[in-house]
Amino acid sequence: MSDASYPLTRLRRTRATGWSRAMHRETVMTPADLIWPLFVTGGTGIEDPVGSLPGVSRWSVDGIAKRAKEAVALGIPCIALFPNTPHDKRSDDGAEALNPDNLMCRAIKAVRDACGSDIGILTDVALDPYTSHGQDGLLDAKGYVVNDDTVAVLVDQAVNQADAGADIIAPSDMMDGRVRAIRMALEMNAHPNVQIMAYSAKYASAFYGPFRDAVGSGGLLKGDKKSYQMDPANGDEALREIALDIAEGADSVMVKPGLAYLDVIWRAKERFGVPVFAYQVSGEYALIEAGAAAGVADREALLMEKLLSFKRAGCSGVLTYHAPVAARILNG
């Protein structure tokens, strides 16, 4: 730290002009820092707007392929897929997750056919889009989400998605030990280059409501997810979770939600030096849209300031429903 004082040092000097601000900018964001989450639904030619997420829709498989092409054109390197499984295919054991012809697998294949290797495909591994009770795992007689039996299903789900062509497996369930189990299964099933982006610090947050609407699990959820998702009061525990997932074979880790946990992102990057991603979740997205609609501030300024905060905190990238909007802004 310099000992120079005013007026020898005037920090406003470098802020006086646009070119100088650009030259001294510490944090730079490009479309390559974005991952675009997309919701898959049944049918053909379907665009089904999500009421609680203005500007976000569920797309049929053909529409998902078109969105993937759009992402490539915008310079977005990866999409993340989440299925809205029909109610008649949901069950207590989430068996539809293992169907090689389920919505997720069909969407993976459609994107691969449309875009080849020009885009990465990240897939969610958890049972909540497939269970009739809306929990991320299997339940015992008392309604408790059991760990090891759930992990066994998640392993088969991950291999099913990798067989379909997924590039990144992203377990979001928060079961203990699932990263190691999935990593070993991928190795044993000829998928050594499939990455794992672990939802390592996923909090039991109030910001997930619109997402649950989008995947059709919100009205089904019985109880809460506090026995496996993290307590928002805990930061040290997040570092333990992240350390375990790295040791078990995760290639990158995620903190979810994003904005309320910038301290966790920063600590994780400083401690481990691995790629850390943030998920700007549905509630965060919806608040930006609501604020802009209410005239609180300019929408583009709001969304870009928040995305930059993730990068400044140490993120390698951000999952955001604003990805196509942000990419267009960044592309000028």
Side-chain angles (χ1 to χ4, degrees), residues 301-313:
L302 282 173
L303 72 91
M304 292 309 299
E305 185 172 342
K306 289 192 174 188
L307 291 178
L308 274 171
S309 75
F310 297 129
K311 285 285 290 181
R312 193 181 65 248

Side-chain angles (χ1 to χ4, degrees), residues 39 41-42 45-51 56-60 84 213-214:
F39 297 108
T41 195
I46 302 296
E47 178 184 356
D48 181 19
V50 181
V56 175
S57 295
R58 306 176 191 90
W59 299 91
S60 52
N84 178 26
D213 292 342

Side-chain angles (χ1 to χ4, degrees), residues 184-316:
M184 296 309 298
L186 292 173
E187 291 287 332
M188 291 186 291
N189 285 274
H191 295 300
N193 290 328
V194 172
Q195 300 175 37
I196 296 177
M197 181 188 294
Y199 286 63
S200 298
K202 182 179 180 180
Y203 286 85
S205 171
F207 288 96
Y208 298 150
F211 174 91
R212 291 171 183 165
D213 292 342
V215 298
S217 66
L220 302 175
L221 182 61
K222 300 173 183 177
D224 57 44
K225 302 189 177 186
K226 294 179 180 179
S227 74
Y228 49 99
Q229 294 179 357
M230 286 188 55
D231 186 333
N234 294 353
D236 291 344
E237 184 184 16
L239 298 188
R240 294 181 68 191
E241 288 277 12
I242 291 167
L244 284 168
D245 285 352
I246 295 169
E248 291 180 10
D251 300 285
S252 57
V253 298
M254 188 195 300
V255 176
K256 180 182 179 181
L259 197 66
Y261 302 92
L262 292 178
D263 59 318
V264 177
I265 294 168
W266 173 256
R267 291 175 68 186
K269 188 64 177 180
E270 289 291 293
R271 174 76 65 87
F272 302 110
V274 300
V276 179
F277 290 80
Y279 198 142
Q280 186 185 47
V281 298
S282 58
E284 296 177 80
Y285 171 94
L287 288 175
I288 292 173
E289 294 298 313
V296 170
D298 177 75
R299 175 174 177 253
E300 291 187 2
L302 282 173
L303 72 91
M304 292 309 299
E305 185 172 342
K306 289 192 174 188
L307 291 178
L308 274 171
S309 75
F310 297 129
K311 285 285 290 181
R312 193 181 65 248
C315 280
S316 296

Side-chain angles (χ1 to χ4, degrees), residues 56-239:
V56 175
S57 295
R58 306 176 191 90
W59 299 91
S60 52
V61 167
D62 56 311
I64 291 292
K66 291 176 182 177
R67 301 290 77 70
K69 288 183 176 180
E70 180 183 352
V72 171
L74 289 170
I76 296 170
C78 187
I79 59 172
L81 300 178
F82 300 90
N84 178 26
T85 303
H87 284 266
D88 62 356
K89 292 187 179 296
R90 293 173 181 261
S91 59
D92 285 350
D93 61 1
E96 179 66 9
L98 310 184
N99 179 2
D101 195 41
N102 63 25
L103 273 176
M104 178 72 91
C105 292
R106 295 205 308 274
I108 294 167
K109 293 171 183 175
V111 171
R112 188 61 69 222
D113 288 344
C115 300
S117 59
D118 290 339
I119 196 162
I121 304 172
L122 181 153
T123 55
D124 176 64
V125 168
L127 296 185
D128 54 325
Y130 307 95
T131 56
S132 53
H133 46 70
Q135 293 286 359
D136 292 32
L138 307 179
L139 305 182
D140 66 13
K142 296 181 180 180
Y144 181 79
V145 176
V146 295
N147 195 93
D148 296 3
D149 288 348
T150 294
V151 168
V153 180
L154 299 176
V155 166
D156 291 341
Q157 181 185 12
V159 172
N160 187 38
Q161 293 174 357
D163 287 344
D167 298 297
I168 306 174
I169 299 298
S172 65
D173 56 284
M174 289 298 288
M175 298 298 114
D176 292 332
R178 89 278 204 212
V179 172
R180 182 185 298 276
I182 291 170
R183 171 54 68 207
M184 296 309 298
L186 292 173
E187 291 287 332
M188 291 186 291
N189 285 274
H191 295 300
N193 290 328
V194 172
Q195 300 175 37
I196 296 177
M197 181 188 294
Y199 286 63
S200 298
K202 182 179 180 180
Y203 286 85
S205 171
F207 288 96
Y208 298 150
F211 174 91
R212 291 171 183 165
D213 292 342
V215 298
S217 66
L220 302 175
L221 182 61
K222 300 173 183 177
D224 57 44
K225 302 189 177 186
K226 294 179 180 179
S227 74
Y228 49 99
Q229 294 179 357
M230 286 188 55
D231 186 333
N234 294 353
D236 291 344
E237 184 184 16
L239 298 188

